[in-house]
Amino acid sequence: MEKKICKDKMAVAKAFAHDFSDMVKREGPIHVALSGGSTPKLIFDVLAATYGQTIAWKNIHFYWGDERCVPPTDNESNFRMTQEHLFSKIKVPKTNVHRILGENQPQGEAMRYANLLEINLDRVNEIPQFDLILLGMGDDGHTASIFPHEIDQWNAPDHCFVATHPETGQKRVSISGKVINRAKQVVFLVTGKGKAEKVRDIFHEREGHEQYPAALVRPTSGRLTWFLDEDSASLL
Ligand code: 6PG
């Protein structure tokens, strides 16, 4: 479990953008699952500004680790956030963007997306394998939309499932922990003081850390990197 500690959020964005540009310097197709929430906004802005003209975007297929069950135009939509901060600034073929259809009935969409992953990705022991999965982590230790109160969904039998946000009750479609841990490479992008306690608990394997879904991210490939800023790493 590698960690890269950068001064601040901008430094995380620059460091990740550099590494990402190296990761994708090869023949496609490269299948990447994106994280949502607010952390990726600056990261996507920097990626587009720094490498927008140099990365061969046509080789990259974009998916999401999770999506809120809202229309793609909704402020809560991870697709909309990615459209605003990345896709609107780069030339990526529309056929390379495989969004989770948040406007669809959740259970039906979870099944549809799971089938899409089966069709588009190689499978290893029946589990679709991403080349790269980006993850964030909530203050409660959730990742993708696998929340502590639903941690049994980590081993959901299907590749995707319908999650419920513990505070808002918002429905979300998420990939399972099995899909996360099958990825060739997983990168956490975690910044801010609010994450520091959980980062410490996970890295120090403190009592009860296994109740945090983010602590269960252990890709069998062994390629797991945490990009942290000094705030989120302040208790390490
Ligand atoms: C989502 C995410 C989620 C996110 C964390 C961190 O849809 O919200 O995929 O897992 O990465 O909640 O969110 P912030 O980046 O906003 O802190």
Side-chain angles (χ1 to χ4, degrees), residues 79-150:
F79 167 77
R80 174 176 166 169
M81 179 274 289
T82 313
Q83 180 66 28
E84 285 174 3
H85 292 274
L86 183 60
F87 295 152
S88 58
K89 306 170 185 175
I90 62 173
K91 285 191 173 38
V92 59
K94 286 200 179 330
T95 47
N96 285 29
V97 177
H98 311 280
R99 72 178 179 90
I100 297 171
L101 306 179
E103 65 274 30
N104 280 2
Q105 191 273 334
Q107 190 50 50
E109 180 57 17
M111 290 169 64
R112 185 196 71 84
Y113 208 66
N115 288 333
L116 176 82
L117 299 185
E118 289 240 339
I119 293 164
N120 286 15
L121 307 184
D122 291 339
R123 267 171 280 157
V124 175
N125 298 334
E126 298 311 307
I127 306 289
Q129 182 174 56
F130 281 103
D131 293 289
L132 172 64
I133 297 180
L134 304 187
L135 294 173
M137 183 185 73
D139 294 2
D140 62 355
H142 80 258
T143 193
S145 281
I146 311 170
F147 295 98
H149 77 294
E150 293 179 325

Side-chain angles (χ1 to χ4, degrees), residues 29-33 57-63 95-96 98 120:
I30 303 167
H31 300 286
V32 177
W57 301 103
K58 65 180 175 15
N59 291 341
I60 305 173
H61 284 255
F62 291 100
Y63 306 77
T95 47
N96 285 29
H98 311 280
N120 286 15

Side-chain angles (χ1 to χ4, degrees), residues 9 34-41 64-68 76-78 81 134-140 142-147 165 170 172-174 188-191 195:
K9 205 168 168 179
L34 301 174
S35 57
S38 54
T39 301
K41 292 177 179 175
W64 279 264
D66 66 322
E67 179 61 278
R68 291 81 180 277
E76 279 283 298
S77 165
N78 287 332
M81 179 274 289
L134 304 187
L135 294 173
M137 183 185 73
D139 294 2
D140 62 355
H142 80 258
T143 193
S145 281
I146 311 170
F147 295 98
H165 192 281
Q170 183 186 62
R172 300 181 171 193
V173 171
S174 178
F188 268 108
L189 300 163
V190 177
T191 60
K195 316 290 172 89

